[in-house]
Amino acid sequence: MDLYPKEFIQYLVHFHGDRDYFECHEILEEYWKQTDFGNKDSIWVGFIQLAVSNYHHRRGNFEGAKKTMKKALSIFLSKEPFIIKLGLDSQSFLVMLYERLAIIEQNKAYKSINLPINDHSLLNQCKFICEQSKYIWGNNSDLTKLHILHRHKLRDRASVIQERNSAKQIKKTRRLASP
């Protein structure tokens, strides 16, 4: 049995390899929906928000980056044992996130960060997958890769829009049905 979910490993590979934070979000959101859906305080939601914060920060959306980083920090502070179980140095991780939040609040430019992985087996596995994927582990974000920087603008949003409209319709129907 694997110690870590393969989705978390994929998240770490993208987070440190190609710096595709949108893909990090997609991978863990799908996993979260399968394993802990509805739990807004799930450790997976914290990692999703961390990726989203980096995505916003890199694009210069400081308000979005700050909002999602604060949410992520709130979750991580209440889930410290889970951070440790996921092979990270929780103390260094939390300090790093507070430092990142301060940088965002000062509207300072984005710089790539590396999560403090202290499980050498996990780290080696991620580095191996990075190498196989032709990524360089720990490389800085390539700000010329516009397809990664602006990925949310390039995706097909039809299903997201349909899901949102369905949710609105359900709420409207409930409002009309209640006395």
Side-chain angles (χ1 to χ4, degrees):
M1 183 169 118
D2 291 331
L3 208 52
Y4 306 104
K6 69 178 180 12
E7 292 83 358
F8 182 62
I9 293 169
Q10 291 170 345
Y11 174 96
L12 293 173
V13 167
H14 285 289
F15 196 97
H16 298 91
D18 62 352
R19 303 289 181 178
D20 189 343
Y21 302 123
F22 193 90
E23 186 64 18
C24 291
H25 160 271
E26 294 286 297
I27 290 167
L28 274 192
E29 184 176 55
E30 195 60 37
Y31 182 71
W32 168 68
K33 285 180 178 180
Q34 294 168 7
T35 60
D36 202 12
F37 189 63
N39 180 4
K40 302 281 187 189
D41 293 323
S42 169
I43 190 80
W44 307 123
V45 173
F47 282 106
I48 291 165
Q49 290 171 334
L50 173 58
V52 171
S53 179
N54 279 325
Y55 184 83
H56 286 314
H57 187 193
R58 185 170 57 192
R59 298 183 75 250
N61 177 357
F62 293 100
E63 201 53 44
K66 180 171 73 171
K67 183 179 173 184
T68 51
M69 181 60 77
K70 283 182 174 183
K71 287 180 182 178
L73 260 166
S74 174
I75 290 171
F76 289 134
L77 286 169
S78 69
K79 305 283 185 197
E80 196 166 351
F82 291 102
I83 295 169
I84 295 165
K85 284 182 183 177
L86 289 171
L88 301 178
D89 177 331
S90 64
Q91 209 167 16
S92 297
F93 179 66
L94 293 171
V95 167
M96 173 189 291
L97 297 185
Y98 275 113
E99 289 171 353
R100 183 61 152 217
L101 179 59
I103 288 167
I104 292 167
E105 288 176 333
Q106 296 167 26
N107 291 351
K108 290 185 178 177
Y110 162 87
K111 289 184 183 169
S112 300
I113 57 173
N114 296 315
L115 304 183
I117 300 171
N118 64 2
D119 179 333
H120 296 292
S121 173
L122 173 62
L123 182 60
N124 290 335
Q125 184 179 6
C126 290
K127 286 181 176 182
F128 178 78
I129 296 169
C130 256
E131 189 178 311
Q132 297 299 305
S133 302
K134 307 288 188 236
Y135 305 145
I136 299 171
W137 179 266
N139 213 17
N140 289 327
S141 287
D142 183 346
L143 301 179
T144 65
K145 291 188 174 181
L146 299 181
H147 67 284
I148 290 180
L149 292 178
H150 306 296
R151 186 142 169 229
H152 76 286
K153 291 182 176 183
L154 305 174
R155 68 183 171 145
D156 178 9
R157 304 228 346 120
S159 65
V160 173
I161 292 167
Q162 183 180 356
E163 197 173 309
R164 214 176 268 158
N165 288 338
S166 294
K168 284 180 186 178
Q169 188 60 43
I170 290 169
K171 283 182 184 177
K172 184 178 177 182
T173 303
R174 286 182 184 156
R175 257 196 328 264
L176 295 174
S178 64

